[in-house]
C-alpha cells in the first residue's frame, strides 16, 4: 500500500468519525447515561429527588414478586401485542389499498394520516369524550339504538379493548406511511414479469409484495412495539389505569410511582423492566422474521 | 452537590426511559435558573424577570380568574419600582407539583409558585418553596380582615405560603329536578334514587383514581367529619378505618345500590362529573365553589343551585371542607423582596373584588360588607358559601396525600362495585399507611 493510499484511508477514517461522533455523543448522553443512572437509582431508596441508601434488588422484588407487578406486566404485554396484532395488518392493508390508482387518493391519504399528527393528550381527551358513558356522542347513539347505556371504561376487559382500539386508531398511520413508501420502491418490472409467468393477484401479493416489504414491516413492528411498551399519556388520560388496575401498564405505573408518588427508586426499577422487555421482544421479532426468511 | 446532580440526573433518567410520557408531564420548559436560596434578596442586573408558575393562563378568557391574573401581572409590571417584570408560565393544575419537584432537584424552579393548599406539605418536602415567615407575618398584621392568622399558617414554625382565595365544597343540584333539597345524606340517597331516570343519574360521585382521586376525597372528608370521624390524627396516623369511615363507604354504596349512581361513576374524574352536570345527564354533584363560573357556563345554568353538603344528622350539614390556592416563594427565587411584593398584589381589595366577581371567594372577610360586593349578581351565592365555609377550617394534608387518596378510592371501589367489606378495606389501607410511616 502506498503512503498516499494510507494517508487517504486515515483521512477517510477520521472524516467518518467526525460525522458519526455527534450521533454517538447524543445517544450516549440522552440514552446510555440516563439508563445507567436510572439503574443506579433503582437500587436505592429515594426521598423526592434525593437518593438515599442502597437497597439492592428490593424494588425489583416489589415488581416481580407481587401480584400488582405481574398485573402490570400482563397489561403491558396485552396492550402492546393487542395493538400490534391490529395495527400491522391494518396498516399494511390500508397501504396496499392506497398504493392503487384510486380517485381522491391524496385526500384519502391525508384523512387516514390525520390521527398521527395529533398529540396523545388530544387523542385521549377526544376519545374519552366521544365514549363517555353519560354524555358522549357514541353513547348517545348507542342509547338511542339499544335503550342501554354504553360502557367503555368501567369493565376491565372492555376498558382494555377500548384503549387498544384507540391506540390502533392513533398509531396505524405510521405503519401505513412506512409500508406505502416501501411499496412504492418495489420495481414494477417484477410484477410485470410475474404476470407474464401467469401469477395471480394473490401470488403477486404473497410472493412479491410481502417479501419485498418484510424489512419495513420488521422495522415498523420494532418501532411500534417500543412505543407501545413506553406509552403513558394515552392510557393515563383515558383511564388513569383503571378500572381496578385493568389498564395500568408498567410505563404508567413507572410514571405514577416516579412522578406522582415520588418513589423514584421504584419508578426507575419499572423503567428498567420496560427497557429489558423492549430488548427481549425486539430480539424475538427479529428472530421470528429472520427464521421465516431462512 | 454530587447528590443533587445525581438526583436531577435520576429524574431525567426516569423521564428519558419513559419516552412515551413526554407529552403528558406539562413541565415548565424554561425556568430562569437562580443561585441557591441564600441571599436571594440581592437583585441581579442581568435578569430582571420573575417567573410565576400558576394554573391560570393570562392569555385565556375562558376562566374569569385568568383575566384577573392578567390584570395583576400588568399592573405589577407597570407600577413596581424595582424594575422587575413578572412572566407567567401556565400549566395544568395537577402537573405543578411534578414540574416543581423535578425543577427543584435540578436546583432551579420558578421565583413564585402557585399551588393548591392540599399540596403545601408536598412542596415543602419536595424542596420547591422557601419560608416567607418574616414577610408574611408583617403583611398579615397589616391585613386584619385576612381569614388566616400567621400562626395558623405555620408549619414547623415557618410560613411557606399565603392562600389568596378560599373555596368550600358544596353540593350542586338541578332545581327543576329536585323540588326540595336533601337535608341529610340518607335523604340524598333516597331522593337521588327517585330522580334517576333514563336521561340521567340522580347524583354522582367521581370514583376514578384519576387526578389523584381528588373528587372522591372532596366528599369522603366532609362525610367522615359529619359521621364524627377524622382522616388522620394530629401525628398523621390513620383514623379513617373507624366506624365513621365504614359509615361513609356504606352510604356511598347505598347511592350505587339504590340506582342513584351506576357503573359509569367508576371512571369519572372531577371534570367528567362537572361536564355531566353541565350536559344535563347528572342531576346532583359535589364540587367546589370555585367551579361556579365553569358550571354557570351551561345552557342549563338557570336550574343550578348550590347548597351545603348534607350530613348524617338531618338538618345539620357536614362540616365544610375548605381549601385554597396558595402563593409561595420558589426555593430558588432570584429576588424575594420583589417576588413577595408581587404576591401582595393578589390581596388588595380591588383584586379580591375582581376575584369575587369571578366566583372566587375572597380571603378578606370585610369585603362581604363592601357595598360594591353586595351589589354583585352572585353575592347571594358568595355569602352562602362564606357562611358554610365558616363551619370548617383549612387542613394541611401529609405530603403523600395523593397516594393515600388513590389507596382510599381503590378501597371504596372494591366496596361499592365488588361488595367488599368496608372495614376490611379501610383496615388494609390503614395497615399499609402505618407500615409506610413506621407507626
Amino acid at each position: 500500500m502506498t503512503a498516499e493510499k494510507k494517508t487517504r484511508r486515515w483521512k477517510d477514517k477520521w472524516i467518518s468519525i467526525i460525522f458519526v461522533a455527534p450521533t454517538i455523543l447524543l445517544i450516549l448522553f440522552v440514552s446510555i447515561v440516563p439508563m445507567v443512572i436510572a439503574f443506579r437509582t433503582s437500587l436505592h431508596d429515594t426521598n423526592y429527588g434525593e437518593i438515599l441508601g442502597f437497597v439492592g434488588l428490593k424494588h425489583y422484588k416489589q415488581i416481580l414478586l407481587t401480584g400488582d407487578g405481574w398485573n402490570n406486566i400482563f397489561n403491558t404485554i396485552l396492550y402492546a401485542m393487542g395493538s400490534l396484532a391490529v395495527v400491522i395488518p391494518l396498516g399494511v392493508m390500508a397501504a396496499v389499498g392506497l398504493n392503487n390508482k384510486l380517485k381522491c387518493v391524496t385526500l384519502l391519504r391525508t384523512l387516514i394520516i390525520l390521527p398521527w399528527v395529533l398529540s396523545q393528550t388530544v387523542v385521549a381527551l377526544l376519545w374519552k369524550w366521544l365514549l363517555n358513558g353519560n354524555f358522549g356522542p357514541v353513547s348517545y347513539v348507542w342509547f338511542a339504538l339499544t335503550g342501554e347505556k354504553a360502557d367503555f371504561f368501567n369493565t376491565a376487559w372492555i376498558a382494555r379493548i377500548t384503549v387498544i382500539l384507540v391506540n390502533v386508531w392513533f398509531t396505524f398511520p405510521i405503519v401505513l406511511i412506512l409500508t406505502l413508501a416501501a411499496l412504492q420502491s418495489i420495481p414494477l418490472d417484477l410484477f410485470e414479469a410475474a404476470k407474464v409467468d401467469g401469477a395471480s393477484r394473490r401470488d403477486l401479493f404473497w410472493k412479491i409484495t410481502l417479501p419485498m416489504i418484510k424489512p419495513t414491516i420488521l422495522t415498523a413492528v420494532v418501532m411500534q412495539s417500543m412505543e407501545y411498551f413506553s406509552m403513558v399519556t394515552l392510557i393515563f388520560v383515558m383511564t388513569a389505569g383503571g378500572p381496578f388496575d385493568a389498564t395500568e401498564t408498567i410505563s404508567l405505573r413507572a410514571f405514577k410511582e416516579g412522578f406522582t408518588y415520588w418513589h423514584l427508586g421504584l419508578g426507575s426499577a419499572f423503567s428498567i423492566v420496560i427497557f429489558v422487555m423492549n430488548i427481549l421482544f425486539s430480539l424475538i421479532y427479529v428472530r421470528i422474521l429472520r427464521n421465516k426468511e431462512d | 452537590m454530587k447528590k443533587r446532580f445525581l438526583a436531577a440526573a435520576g429524574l431525567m433518567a426516569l423521564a428519558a426511559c419513559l419516552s412515551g410520557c413526554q407529552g403528558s408531564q406539562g413541565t415548565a420548559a424554561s425556568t430562569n435558573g437562580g443561585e441557591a436560596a441564600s441571599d436571594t434578596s440581592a437583585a441581579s442586573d442581568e435578569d430582571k424577570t420573575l417567573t410565576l408558575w400558576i394554573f391560570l393562563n393570562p392569555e385565556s378568557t375562558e376562566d374569569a380568574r385568568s383575566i384577573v391574573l392578567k390584570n395583576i401581572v400588568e399592573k405589577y409590571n407597570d407600577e413596581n419600582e424595582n424594575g422587575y417584570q413578572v412572566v407567567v408560565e401556565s400549566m395544568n393544575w395537577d402537573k405543578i407539583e411534578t414540574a416543581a419537584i423535578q425543577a427543584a432537584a435540578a436546583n432551579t424552579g420558578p421565583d413564585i409558585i402557585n399551588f393548591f393548599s392540599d399540596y403545601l406539605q408536598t412542596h415543602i418536602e419536595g424542596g420547591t418553596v422557601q419560608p416567607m415567615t418574616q414577610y408574611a407575618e408583617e403583611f398579615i398584621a397589616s391585613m386584619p380582615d385576612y381569614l388566616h392568622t400567621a400562626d395558623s399558617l405555620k408549619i414547623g414554625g415557618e410560613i411557606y405560603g399565603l392562600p389568596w382565595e378560599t373555596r368550600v365544597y358544596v353540593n350542586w343540584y338541578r332545581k327543576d329536578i329536585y323540588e326540595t333539597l336533601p337535608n341529610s345524606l340518607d335523604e340524598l340517597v333516597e331522593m337521588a334514587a327517585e330522580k334517576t331516570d333514563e336521561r340521567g343519574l340522580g347524583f354522582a360521585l367521581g370514583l376514578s383514581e384519576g387526578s389523584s382521586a381528588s373528587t372522591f376525597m372532596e366528599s369522603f372528608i366532609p362525610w367522615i367529619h359529619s359521621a364524627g370521624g377524622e382522616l388522620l390524627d394530629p401525628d398523621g396516623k390513620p383514623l379513617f378505618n373507624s366506624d365513621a369511615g365504614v359509615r361513609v363507604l356504606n352510604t356511598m354504596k347505598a347511592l350505587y345500590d339504590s340506582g342513584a349512581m351506576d357503573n359509569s361513576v367508576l371512571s369519572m374524574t372531577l371534570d367528567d362529573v362537572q361536564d355531566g352536570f353541565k350536559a344535563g345527564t347528572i342531576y346532583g354533584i359535589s364540587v367546589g365553589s370555585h367551579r361556579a363560573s365553569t358550571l354557570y357556563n351551561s345552557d342549563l345554568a338557570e336550574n343550578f343551585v348550590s347548597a351545603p353538603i348534607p350530613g348524617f344528622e338531618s338538618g345539620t350539614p357536614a362540616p365544610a371542607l375548605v381549601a385554597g390556592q396558595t402563593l409561595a416563594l420558589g426555593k430558588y427565587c432570584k429576588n424575594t423582596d420583589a417576588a413577595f411584593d408581587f404576591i401582595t398584589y393578589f390581596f388588595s381589595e380591588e383584586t379580591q373584588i375582581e376575584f369575587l366577581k369571578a366566583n372566587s371567594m375572597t380571603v378578606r372577610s370585610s369585603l362581604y360588607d363592601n357595598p360594591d360586593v353586595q351589589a354583585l349578581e352572585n353575592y347571594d351565592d358568595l355569602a352562602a358559601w362564606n357562611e358554610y365555609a365558616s363551619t370548617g377550617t383549612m387542613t394541611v394534608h401529609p405530603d403523600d396525600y395523593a397516594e393515600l387518596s388513590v389507596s382510599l378510592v381503590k378501597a371504596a371501589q372494591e366496596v361499592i362495585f365488588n361488595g367488599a367489606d368496608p372495614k376490611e378495606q379501610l383496615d388494609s389501607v390503614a395497615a399499609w399507611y402505618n407500615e409506610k410511616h413506621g407507626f
Side-chain angles (χ1 to χ4, degrees), chain A:
Chain A
M1 193 180 289
T2 61
E4 194 185 330
K5 268 190 177 176
K6 267 188 183 175
T7 314
R8 198 170 172 178
R9 276 197 176 179
W10 186 83
K11 266 188 183 173
D12 286 349
K13 190 178 157 191
W14 277 104
I15 287 170
S16 308
I17 290 171
I18 289 166
F19 274 99
V20 173
T23 312
I24 300 287
L25 286 174
L26 196 69
I27 291 171
L28 186 72
F29 286 107
V30 177
S31 298
I32 309 291
V33 171
M35 263 185 269
V36 171
I37 293 171
F39 181 66
R40 180 186 179 274
T41 308
S42 73
L43 302 175
H44 289 76
D45 262 339
T46 55
N47 178 38
Y48 290 94
E50 197 183 350
I51 294 171
L52 305 173
F54 179 77
V55 292
L57 297 175
K58 176 184 146 188
H59 296 131
Y60 292 95
K61 285 180 187 164
Q62 218 170 320
I63 299 168
L64 299 171
L65 300 181
T66 62
D68 280 355
W70 280 103
N71 178 51
N72 297 144
I73 292 171
F74 171 75
N75 289 337
T76 308
I77 294 173
L78 185 77
Y79 179 72
M81 296 302 116
S83 299
L84 279 177
V86 186
V87 156
I88 300 296
L90 189 67
V92 171
M93 279 185 337
V96 170
L98 287 176
N99 196 37
N100 291 318
K101 284 174 187 164
L102 298 170
K103 276 184 185 173
C104 310
V105 75
T106 312
L107 179 70
L108 273 174
R109 281 180 192 172
T110 311
L111 283 176
I112 290 174
I113 286 165
L114 209 57
W116 184 54
V117 300
L118 300 174
S119 77
Q120 285 188 46
T121 311
V122 172
V123 170
L125 288 172
L126 171 73
W127 282 99
K128 197 180 172 196
W129 170 72
L130 283 171
L131 302 177
N132 186 291
N134 272 297
F135 52 82
V138 174
S139 304
Y140 180 80
V141 174
W142 183 264
F143 183 79
L145 293 173
T146 65
E148 282 183 17
K149 272 189 173 182
D151 183 1
F152 294 101
F153 297 116
N154 306 302
T155 311
W157 277 99
I158 295 176
R160 284 179 175 132
I161 292 167
T162 303
V163 291
I164 288 173
L165 292 179
V166 171
N167 185 34
V168 166
W169 180 86
F170 174 50
T171 57
F172 97 93
I174 182 67
V175 178
L176 184 152
I177 292 168
L178 288 170
T179 314
L180 197 56
L183 286 171
Q184 288 174 352
S185 68
I186 302 174
L188 292 175
D189 302 357
L190 283 176
F191 293 105
E192 279 158 20
K195 277 180 193 167
V196 171
D197 290 341
S200 65
R201 284 179 71 130
R202 185 186 289 186
D203 291 335
L204 291 180
F205 179 76
W206 288 105
K207 292 180 178 166
I208 297 179
T209 308
L210 208 54
M212 294 296 283
I213 62 170
K214 204 190 247 181
T216 307
I217 293 176
L218 175 63
T219 308
V221 167
V222 174
M223 269 175 56
Q224 292 311 105
S225 168
M226 285 186 181
E227 187 183 344
Y228 300 156
F229 276 122
S230 312
M231 224 166 197
V232 174
T233 312
L234 192 76
I235 308 173
F236 185 61
V237 175
M238 270 202 297
T239 66
F244 306 109
D245 298 334
T247 58
E248 191 178 69
T249 57
I250 302 177
S251 47
L252 179 54
R253 181 82 186 274
F255 176 75
K256 283 182 180 177
E257 294 292 349
F259 298 121
T260 305
Y261 308 144
W262 294 100
H263 302 151
L264 215 52
L266 183 58
S268 298
F270 270 109
S271 69
I272 295 296
V273 172
I274 300 168
F275 174 69
V276 172
M277 284 177 76
N278 267 326
I279 299 280
L280 281 177
F281 276 84
S282 298
L283 288 173
I284 292 169
Y285 306 139
V286 172
R287 178 153 292 193
I288 290 172
L289 286 167
R290 270 199 188 153
N291 283 348
K292 279 196 172 175
E293 215 164 277
D294 293 341

Side-chain angles (χ1 to χ4, degrees), chain B residues 173 181-188 191 226 247 307-319 387-388 391:
Chain B
Y173 303 97
L181 302 184
N183 269 318
S184 68
L185 286 168
D186 290 337
E187 220 174 283
L188 172 69
M191 289 172 77
S226 171
R247 193 175 181 194
I309 295 174
F312 283 100
E313 196 180 316
S314 184
T316 307
E387 193 186 331
Y388 179 45
T391 66

